[in-house]
Amino acid sequence: MQILVINPGSTSTKIAVYEDAKPLMLRTIRHSAEQLSQYEEVTDQFDFRKQLVIDELRRMDIPFHFQAVIGRGGLVKPVEGGVYEINQRMLDDTRNAIHKHACDLGCLIAYEIAAGIPGCRAFIADPGVVDELSPLARISGSPLMNRICIWHALNQRAIARRYANEIGKRYEDLNLIICHLGGGISVAAHDHGRAIDANNALDGEGPFSPERAGSLPAADLIRLCFSGRFTEKELLKRVAGQAGLIAHLGTNDMKEIERRIAQGDKHAELVVEAMIFQTAKCIVAEGAALFGKIDAILITGGMARSEYVVSRLRRRIDFLAPTHCYPGEDEMEALALNSLDVLRGKREAKEYI
């Protein structure tokens, strides 16, 4: 089975070609701020990014003989976890989604490329809006709004299955707390294969991160909205994109920040320690969601490569359960294996309705 995997991120598009479970090619196409600045909305980048994918495959002399094209799922309406066959309803909802992220393009590009290949199917898997919250987790302090989760569902589930396989168990038999340390930070309580609690890591809940503000003082935020100092669009960027470390320190590059700290920058040290402090509190809080019955805590994501961050985080959480670190992300392999299971008949693709 030949499978094309497409994973658009904020500043890059990753593509991979798999033959069954074996990767034949993996490429990361970087996009400069200047290239992306000409597009007002993320979905406006569709033609630009699709052509880059096609050009890279042609440059590598890879024939378009795929049985499946799978993209990283976008921020459509909440769905259960699993593999979904892309249909017109999903495309329409993706283009009109309230929440915007580069991952939305994965669905659109995968469908477009697959449509030009006879017999090729198009999928997404475990998008960031996977919602399996318990009823208790949905209720906020105001009946005007419920809690929602937007999190790193694909990578968290991939890491959970990897850990379970390593210890000879099934993901569905374990209680896990998983923390993804990326441009946003998501923390979820996994109760026997279901994420019963997770934060909205995109735009408004949990710890602040390299690019996200996380939870903010509600009354102060309301006053700021009515202060006249910022437009709605400007304020949204100060919640997601131009927030967190980049707002405090002018960069989201942990290597650069660690260099500053090593040179004696006490402000940078304080801000990073505050991010770690808030992250640790969120991880420990998920222990209550699992009644304290926790098999392991798993740390993953790009920032998990930072020994500085991980060592300080572990000092605050190791008392709760055994902690294991899986730096980076397994999203490309996870997408390939999800689609391969469907092609081989081991799982059924779900219908997006």
Side-chain angles (χ1 to χ4, degrees):
M1 299 289 184
Q2 294 276 340
I3 300 165
L4 173 62
V5 181
I6 302 171
N7 185 352
S10 300
T11 60
S12 68
T13 302
K14 295 179 182 178
I15 61 174
V17 174
Y18 278 74
E19 184 174 87
D20 294 333
K22 179 184 178 182
L24 302 180
M25 180 271 277
L26 176 62
R27 292 288 183 274
T28 299
I29 305 169
R30 304 288 178 186
H31 313 306
S32 68
E34 290 75 22
Q35 285 178 312
L36 300 182
S37 63
Q38 61 186 300
Y39 303 104
E40 185 172 350
E41 298 288 346
V42 166
T43 48
D44 296 336
Q45 301 171 21
F46 168 73
D47 288 325
F48 165 70
R49 295 222 200 189
K50 183 190 76 170
Q51 194 59 49
L52 287 176
V53 171
I54 292 172
D55 290 346
E56 185 65 17
L57 292 171
R58 287 174 175 165
R59 190 182 71 81
M60 297 294 295
D61 290 327
I62 294 173
F64 286 65
H65 295 159
F66 307 112
Q67 279 71 54
V69 183
I70 185 165
R72 183 179 172 194
L75 304 181
V76 290
K77 64 187 179 185
V79 295
E80 287 189 341
V83 183
Y84 287 82
E85 192 130 19
I86 301 173
N87 58 20
Q88 190 60 49
R89 185 184 295 272
M90 185 188 297
L91 296 172
D92 293 341
D93 284 357
T94 298
R95 293 188 181 98
N96 297 305
I98 295 174
H99 301 283
K100 303 292 184 181
H101 190 274
C103 63
D104 296 336
L105 296 167
C107 162
L108 303 176
I109 297 173
Y111 181 83
E112 188 80 5
I113 291 177
I117 304 171
C120 185
R121 301 172 70 182
F123 304 113
I124 66 167
D126 287 331
V129 288
V130 165
D131 184 344
E132 299 164 346
L133 299 185
S134 75
L136 296 176
R138 297 184 192 281
I139 299 174
S140 77
S142 170
L144 296 176
M145 60 196 83
N146 288 327
R147 286 187 66 241
I148 65 168
C149 56
I150 301 177
W151 56 298
H152 302 89
L154 178 64
N155 189 49
Q156 286 209 22
R157 280 232 161 85
I159 293 300
R161 292 191 175 99
R162 177 176 164 186
Y163 170 74
N165 185 62
E166 288 175 358
I167 64 171
K169 293 188 177 181
R170 299 190 316 143
Y171 165 52
E172 291 79 9
D173 296 330
L174 298 172
N175 273 3
L176 302 169
I177 298 173
I178 307 180
C179 174
H180 181 109
L181 299 171
I185 295 176
S186 66
V187 182
H190 296 249
D191 184 349
H192 294 83
R194 292 183 65 85
I196 62 169
D197 191 34
N199 62 310
N200 177 355
L202 177 67
D203 61 2
E205 195 178 43
F208 72 84
S209 69
E211 299 175 2
R212 310 283 194 268
S215 299
L216 294 170
D220 289 342
L221 180 59
I222 292 170
R223 293 186 189 102
L224 188 61
C225 290
F226 286 88
S227 69
R229 293 173 56 192
F230 304 100
T231 66
E232 178 184 0
K233 195 169 186 179
E234 288 170 339
L235 278 173
L236 287 172
K237 286 185 177 179
R238 288 174 181 262
V239 170
Q242 296 297 318
L245 295 185
I246 200 168
H248 282 287
L249 305 176
T251 181
N252 57 4
D253 186 338
M254 273 306 303
K255 290 183 179 178
E256 165 64 17
I257 294 170
E258 287 180 35
R259 184 187 64 79
R260 292 187 198 175
I261 293 172
Q263 293 176 348
D265 188 331
K266 294 299 182 183
H267 177 61
E269 182 179 4
L270 176 65
V271 171
V272 172
E273 190 62 40
M275 180 184 71
I276 294 168
F277 174 71
Q278 290 190 13
T279 303
K281 289 202 301 180
C282 287
I283 291 172
V284 173
E286 294 296 4
L290 298 172
F291 293 93
K293 298 176 181 178
I294 308 154
D295 293 296
I297 300 170
L298 309 182
I299 301 172
T300 184
M303 203 164 35
R305 296 188 179 97
S306 169
E307 176 62 24
Y308 184 94
V309 171
V310 172
S311 62
R312 284 161 176 77
L313 181 60
R314 293 188 67 160
R315 285 208 299 261
R316 294 184 179 275
I317 64 174
D318 272 348
F319 74 92
L320 191 63
T323 303
H324 305 273
C325 188
Y326 296 87
E329 43 81 14
D330 274 354
E331 290 180 338
M332 303 304 281
E333 181 180 55
L335 287 168
L337 295 181
N338 270 295
S339 59
L340 184 60
D341 280 350
V342 173
L343 293 176
R344 287 177 168 174
K346 293 182 178 179
R347 298 169 64 185
E348 289 287 333
K350 297 182 178 181
E351 181 185 5
Y352 181 85
I353 57 176

